[in-house]
Amino acid sequence: MVSVAFINPLSDEGKMIVRELGEFDGVLSENDDLMSIVTESRSQEISDDSFIPRSYFDLALKRIEWYAKKKNDRNFDHKQYDFLFNPDINKFDVIAFFLLCQAIGVKYGPNSRESRVLVESQGKLIENRLGKLSKIERNVLVTNILNSLLSSAHIKWTFFEDLISSKKLKLHELILDSGEIILDKDDFLERFSHKIQGRKPEKMYEALIGDRIKELVMIKMVMQNTENYIRQVGERSNREIEPNPILLELADKISEVLLASVQTFGQGSGGYGGSVKASALNPKAFPPCVKKVMEGMKSGGRNDAIIMFLTPFISYARLYPAVFSENITKQISDVDPTLSIIQNEILPLIFGAAERCSPPLFEDQPQDKVNLNAKLGFGMHQNPELKNEGETTWYTPMSCEKVKIHLPSLCKPDETCKKIGNPLSYYNRKIWVVKKESKAESAVEEDIKD
Amino acid sequence: MVKIEYLTPASPEERKRYYREEWNIKQVPEYIIQSIQEREFGFDHVGRGPNDRYKVFRTPDLLKRFLKVRTPFAAYCSVAFYDKPRRRDRWTKAELVFDVDAKDIPVRTCECEGVCEICLNEAREIVLGIIDTLKGDLGLQNIHVVYSGRGYHIRVLDNDVMSVNTDVRSQIVKYLVGADVPENEYSLDFEKVSYEHFVIPFGYPNVFTKRVKYAILHLNENSELDEVNKKLLKDVLKHRQLIELDNWGMFKNKIGPQRYRKVIKGIASMNMSLVDAKVSIDLKRILRLPSSLHSMVSMKCTEVKNIETFDPFDDAVPKFVYER
């Protein structure tokens, strides 16, 4: 039977393993036991030494590298990381997990890209590890872990507040009744079987809840607990004087692994990877919601559409389209030192859209120019001036989720919208397609000239 | 019966009469009186929006004196509770609120410009549906309804939800209004099974079914749904009596499965406008004070004791309107 800690390193079993290790001293040393487990893993590729982690420290980095490459590298070879799915590695894996949490907690905190990658990678590791188990073993393990994570059989949906807030779980994916989440089969049958007509209640339970939702809840809970643990480490480290240098070194290496993955493999699937450079705006690549605002809005949604939605979108799309992948806070002058792009390209576009509103936005609400300026980070003033920069924050573009809440009439999704969660990601994705298309068109024109 | 189009704005004299002769502090709901020291109050004195904010009243008597002396155009009170409400500082919790404004309902059977008896009644139907889900699915109990003057506010004061953040509130709104199309294919061990939302009589699929039913029964030939053309809309209207009888399978067959998918997708997207979601996710919103006068339409913002029987034209018209 696979150890609970192999799936949930934060379990009591996992904590016991960490306690047994004691000090940090040995984490950099070569460990023969670890190397022999790795090399003896069934499908492990051992043709290159670099495929084999030699210490706890190496193993921690391999965990991150596995996820980064799996996500971004089209030529990803799972055989290089087969050891991660060998249950014999459990003890080493748990230590590596804790090292990662502590390094990231100490150096970057819970809201960092590094934290997000670790939390996501833990979720993916669990999914993959469960996938290698037999149905029965998987079921028993998941039930055991869930039982230890949930204090009672009757769970109020508000118990999952953190998971719902971080969107790891969506409320509508759960079956709720009288404020409780229904996971147990007997509970389900007792509550609903008399209402179900023409279908077998047992089969409906298996389809709607069954192992699928139980696993989902368990995985998301472990992910949330991982994030919470990183937060605790971060808070604790703020109170302590000197963090362990090994953790700081590991934290730096984690960043290097992520950066290397991005630089080598580019954009990937639109996760944290990839950097899109600032360049002249191409309205053809705007998402449907932006196109709609550019045409002008009727009174009612004008203010939010121009100030809250369009201003951040246009400014970031033009000046800092990689804001979400780079995850580094910037001011406009970092990318437009003389503010000439703001003055000559960005503001005219926004003012044009405001003018096309009915009635024109700044005609009856001239004070909104101050709000617009504030969203660009130049404080509550009429015009953007370097001396005022930083008085307010340069607002990042609204997510699709927020657009649906604040401006529901704008959201008319097309095919590309299905793949993104922010209009800026739409733009970054589409701009390549548009460029490709125009290259193809000019190639055809060249042919005709010839 | 008073028709709302006759309800023109209240004059300063009428406001005075209302607050001095008709209004009573006892009409302010208990859930506000009990927490009066923790809430921010705001007032609009001239009809240009609430710009007299950050007011705090230590006792109901002080609120009473303020309203009787100042007879404001509109009075508001925060849904948020603060340790220091005068500075809106140290937020502790906020009611979970839903604003159903009759004039903004996405499908209305009336053609009125502002609000009328018909759309106010439709707003009431939507409120009933939301309360049903709040109680049945989310298990919430401490729910109050207020007639706002042009629609309804649902105010939830269960401790479990008063502390939840904007993101959770946003998901609650989406659940309640039916803004996501539920899955219709599920994987079992060796097969895939298909359950349309309307065969699942519980949980979110059931909520979604109710909201779709409401929408379809209230559509008209001028309604606009994303990616639903006039021909498809016409077919929906032609066969909608099947929905009224809950013959969903037959309705889907008549429309065609692909086109049915388009219709429910369009309705899910439209449902986001059933309530003003901005109000629900705002943790520091001020809402019209129950018992105060909505001077724009000369109606009383009234706590609703029984939503099933509430009629704004009987229960929320100030006396001065009858004497005009």
Side-chain angles (χ1 to χ4, degrees):
Chain A
M1 182 78 178
V2 166
S3 160
V4 164
F6 193 51
I7 301 298
N8 179 18
L10 290 160
S11 60
D12 289 343
E13 272 182 40
K15 286 174 188 161
M16 187 79 84
I17 292 170
V18 178
R19 268 198 295 274
E20 277 168 14
L21 178 78
E23 293 303 310
F24 273 106
D25 301 344
V27 300
L28 284 167
S29 326
E30 283 203 1
N31 190 308
D32 292 340
D33 291 343
L34 169 64
M35 285 192 284
S36 67
I37 292 171
V38 171
T39 49
E40 283 163 21
S41 297
R42 208 166 34 177
S43 315
Q44 179 61 38
E45 175 70 66
I46 48 172
S47 59
D48 191 319
D49 275 355
S50 69
F51 298 154
I52 302 161
R54 297 173 171 276
S55 62
Y56 289 108
F57 191 93
D58 275 0
L59 179 61
L61 289 172
K62 282 283 175 196
R63 262 174 146 264
I64 293 292
E65 190 184 274
W66 166 76
Y67 180 67
K69 284 194 176 173
K70 192 172 157 59
K71 201 169 177 184
N72 293 324
D73 182 1
R74 285 198 190 122
N75 302 316
F76 170 76
D77 180 4
H78 67 89
K79 286 183 182 166
Q80 290 176 18
Y81 301 91
D82 194 57
F83 59 85
L84 287 174
F85 307 96
N86 178 357
D88 295 342
I89 207 168
N90 180 40
K91 193 182 97 179
F92 301 96
D93 182 68
V94 168
I95 305 286
F97 168 84
F98 275 89
L99 280 173
L100 287 169
C101 288
Q102 297 201 8
I104 290 171
V106 163
K107 177 118 191 216
Y108 306 112
N111 302 319
S112 59
R113 177 181 65 154
E114 288 76 8
S115 164
R116 185 157 49 89
V117 170
L118 174 58
V119 170
E120 284 173 8
S121 69
Q122 186 58 29
K124 277 278 168 251
L125 264 179
I126 300 175
E127 270 176 39
N128 283 267
R129 285 173 178 174
L130 288 175
K132 293 185 184 293
L133 302 179
S134 70
K135 185 174 160 55
I136 296 173
E137 194 175 5
R138 185 171 172 160
N139 182 287
V140 171
L141 196 61
V142 170
T143 307
N144 280 347
I145 297 173
L146 257 188
N147 287 343
S148 66
L149 291 171
L150 302 170
S151 50
S152 118
H154 297 280
I155 321 140
K156 277 190 166 184
W157 67 270
T158 43
F159 177 78
F160 290 128
E161 187 185 330
D162 287 349
L163 287 175
I164 294 168
S165 170
S166 58
K167 300 189 183 71
K168 291 189 184 78
L169 274 183
K170 291 197 174 142
L171 206 51
H172 76 264
E173 290 172 344
L174 302 165
I175 298 296
L176 304 176
D177 184 48
S178 304
E180 290 176 4
I181 292 175
I182 313 304
L183 290 175
D184 179 69
K185 189 172 182 175
D186 291 340
D187 193 16
F188 174 91
L189 295 176
E190 195 182 332
R191 289 178 197 244
F192 303 129
S193 53
H194 67 283
K195 293 184 180 175
I196 300 169
Q197 289 177 351
R199 305 275 187 303
K200 284 184 183 159
E202 290 81 3
K203 195 167 179 181
M204 206 176 245
Y205 167 81
E206 293 303 336
L208 268 70
I209 303 172
D211 294 341
R212 187 177 63 91
I213 293 288
K214 281 187 187 170
E215 273 180 22
L216 178 74
V217 169
M218 185 274 286
I219 292 172
K220 303 294 180 186
M221 284 187 81
V222 175
M223 288 170 73
Q224 187 64 52
N225 290 347
T226 304
E227 193 179 309
N228 295 347
Y229 179 62
I230 295 171
R231 178 170 289 109
Q232 280 172 27
V233 171
E235 286 166 1
R236 221 181 306 142
S237 75
N238 289 337
R239 295 193 296 270
E240 284 167 13
I241 313 155
E242 196 68 41
N244 189 309
I246 296 175
L247 292 178
L248 294 177
E249 191 189 335
L250 180 59
D252 289 340
K253 293 274 185 205
I254 292 167
S255 274
E256 281 173 26
V257 168
L258 294 182
L259 194 67
S261 163
V262 168
Q263 283 171 345
T264 315
F265 308 112
Q267 280 236 102
S269 55
Y272 55 82
S275 160
V276 188
K277 290 202 173 72
S279 60
L281 286 167
N282 188 339
K284 279 186 190 164
F286 286 169
C289 48
V290 172
K291 283 182 180 158
K292 203 154 183 242
V293 179
M294 292 300 288
E295 286 164 12
M297 300 284 291
K298 286 184 187 151
S299 75
R302 283 180 313 160
N303 185 301
D304 280 359
I306 300 291
I307 309 293
M308 302 271 288
F309 172 73
L310 188 68
T311 300
F313 174 85
I314 294 285
S315 53
Y316 273 94
R318 173 64 186 90
L319 295 171
Y320 186 17
V323 55
F324 296 124
S325 52
E326 286 186 13
N327 201 18
I328 299 165
T329 307
K330 287 186 183 175
Q331 294 189 336
I332 281 183
S333 63
D334 293 334
V335 276
D336 180 18
T338 59
L339 306 189
S340 59
I341 300 175
I342 278 283
Q343 296 288 5
N344 301 327
E345 296 181 41
I346 292 169
L347 289 180
L349 270 180
I350 300 169
F351 285 164
E355 183 66 29
R356 284 187 287 277
C357 287
S358 159
L361 178 65
F362 298 129
E363 248 173 45
D364 61 331
Q365 297 191 20
Q367 73 280 5
D368 273 338
K369 278 190 184 169
V370 173
N371 291 333
L372 185 158
N373 209 34
K375 300 289 176 281
L376 294 171
F378 295 100
M380 301 298 282
H381 304 278
Q382 276 290 334
N383 296 304
E385 287 185 67
L386 283 172
K387 65 176 182 188
N388 302 323
E389 196 176 24
E391 286 181 20
T392 47
T393 310
W394 183 17
Y395 270 47
T396 48
M398 266 187 193
S399 64
C400 298
E401 187 85 5
K402 285 216 169 96
V403 173
K404 281 180 193 153
I405 297 275
H406 287 272
L407 296 152
S409 66
L410 282 189
C411 187
K412 308 284 177 208
D414 65 9
E415 276 305 304
T416 310
C417 292
K418 286 179 190 162
K419 300 166 195 151
I420 52 98
N422 190 295
L424 187 62
S425 315
Y426 181 111
Y427 180 73
N428 289 339
R429 195 178 263 263
K430 195 87 175 182
I431 198 123
W432 295 107
V433 180
V434 171
K435 267 185 196 163
K436 235 195 222 168
E437 281 170 1
S438 55
K439 263 187 197 162
E441 273 169 27
S442 45
V444 169
E445 277 170 25
E446 287 296 315
D447 284 350
I448 293 167
K449 274 179 209 164
D450 288 342
Chain B
M1 173 70 67
V2 179
K3 286 193 177 164
I4 200 157
E5 52 262 38
Y6 299 151
L7 298 180
T8 50
S11 68
E13 277 312 308
E14 288 172 331
R15 276 156 41 196
K16 249 180 222 170
R17 270 192 65 190
Y18 176 74
Y19 281 110
R20 291 178 187 172
E21 294 171 18
E22 188 175 346
W23 179 82
N24 188 319
I25 188 76
K26 287 183 183 149
Q27 293 160 357
V28 180
E30 195 52 31
Y31 60 87
I32 290 178
I33 294 292
Q34 275 176 356
S35 51
I36 196 165
Q37 296 184 18
E38 294 168 80
R39 295 186 190 247
E40 177 213 355
F41 285 76
F43 300 94
D44 173 5
H45 296 292
V46 286
R48 285 198 198 138
N51 54 8
D52 181 13
R53 304 261 321 242
Y54 296 75
K55 286 265 183 253
V56 179
F57 298 99
R58 277 181 289 113
T59 66
D61 269 352
L62 292 171
L63 172 65
K64 179 176 149 188
R65 194 171 71 189
F66 184 92
L67 287 172
K68 286 199 182 275
V69 172
R70 301 290 297 270
T71 63
F73 186 85
Y76 302 85
C77 161
S78 68
V79 296
F81 292 53
Y82 304 92
D83 278 348
K84 292 186 175 173
R86 195 177 297 283
R87 299 208 319 253
R88 292 213 284 170
D89 202 6
R90 290 164 64 183
W91 181 96
T92 56
K93 57 185 177 178
E95 296 172 28
L96 172 64
V97 293
F98 305 95
D99 179 17
V100 182
D101 198 326
K103 75 173 175 5
D104 297 327
I105 299 173
V107 279
R108 306 199 295 178
T109 54
C110 64
E111 308 243 316
C112 77
E113 286 287 311
V115 289
C116 69
E117 227 171 321
I118 297 169
C119 55
L120 274 171
N121 200 39
E122 286 167 354
R124 200 175 61 96
E125 282 179 56
I126 292 167
V127 167
L128 280 165
I130 290 175
I131 292 176
D132 190 43
T133 308
L134 282 169
K135 288 182 178 170
D137 287 41
L138 301 185
L140 300 169
Q141 300 296 331
N142 197 354
I143 301 168
H144 303 266
V145 180
V146 174
Y147 171 68
S148 67
R150 289 205 278 205
Y152 293 90
H153 295 154
I154 304 169
R155 308 175 65 139
V156 185
L157 285 101
D158 287 73
N159 262 328
D160 278 354
V161 288
M162 296 259 284
S163 57
V164 300
N165 65 18
T166 292
D167 294 319
V168 177
R169 285 169 200 246
S170 147
Q171 286 212 41
I172 296 173
V173 173
K174 291 173 81 180
Y175 188 101
L176 293 173
V177 300
D180 291 295
V181 179
E183 292 286 322
N184 66 342
E185 262 202 354
Y186 300 87
S187 298
L188 289 177
D189 283 346
F190 303 107
E191 58 173 328
K192 283 203 165 175
V193 286
S194 172
Y195 293 125
E196 279 290 4
H197 60 94
F198 50 78
V199 304
I200 303 172
F202 50 81
Y204 178 71
N206 189 40
V207 175
F208 186 74
T209 302
K210 288 179 187 166
R211 303 295 179 262
V212 172
K213 182 174 180 176
Y214 176 88
I216 290 180
L217 296 183
H218 287 78
L219 289 170
N220 62 43
E221 62 272 21
N222 297 321
S223 301
E224 285 183 8
L225 291 175
D226 289 353
E227 295 188 40
V228 172
N229 59 27
K230 285 280 169 201
K231 168 79 177 74
L232 177 51
L233 180 65
K234 211 170 154 190
D235 286 349
V236 169
L237 297 178
K238 187 176 156 194
H239 299 295
R240 71 173 163 190
Q241 80 283 359
L242 292 167
I243 295 288
E244 203 156 8
L245 301 167
D246 289 322
N247 283 331
W248 288 85
M250 219 184 275
F251 176 80
K252 185 180 154 190
N253 283 341
K254 292 273 185 198
I255 299 290
Q258 302 274 356
R259 296 169 87 221
Y260 178 77
R261 213 69 203 154
K262 275 191 177 178
V263 171
I264 59 169
K265 235 178 117 187
I267 291 175
S269 158
M270 182 190 73
N271 280 349
M272 261 326 268
S273 309
L274 282 178
V275 300
D276 183 350
K278 286 202 290 291
V279 175
S280 302
I281 61 166
D282 190 342
L283 302 176
K284 295 187 170 183
R285 197 83 175 182
I286 51 171
L287 281 188
R288 203 172 278 283
L289 176 70
S291 80
S292 67
L293 182 68
H294 192 315
S295 298
M296 195 64 92
V297 288
S298 297
M299 293 282 267
K300 283 190 284 187
C301 174
T302 308
E303 185 175 27
V304 177
K305 299 284 183 206
N306 184 349
I307 183 73
E308 303 273 356
T309 57
F310 181 79
D311 179 356
F313 300 102
D314 273 344
D315 304 321
V317 180
K319 282 180 195 153
F320 67 77
V321 169
Y322 294 105
E323 293 164 20
R324 274 176 174 171

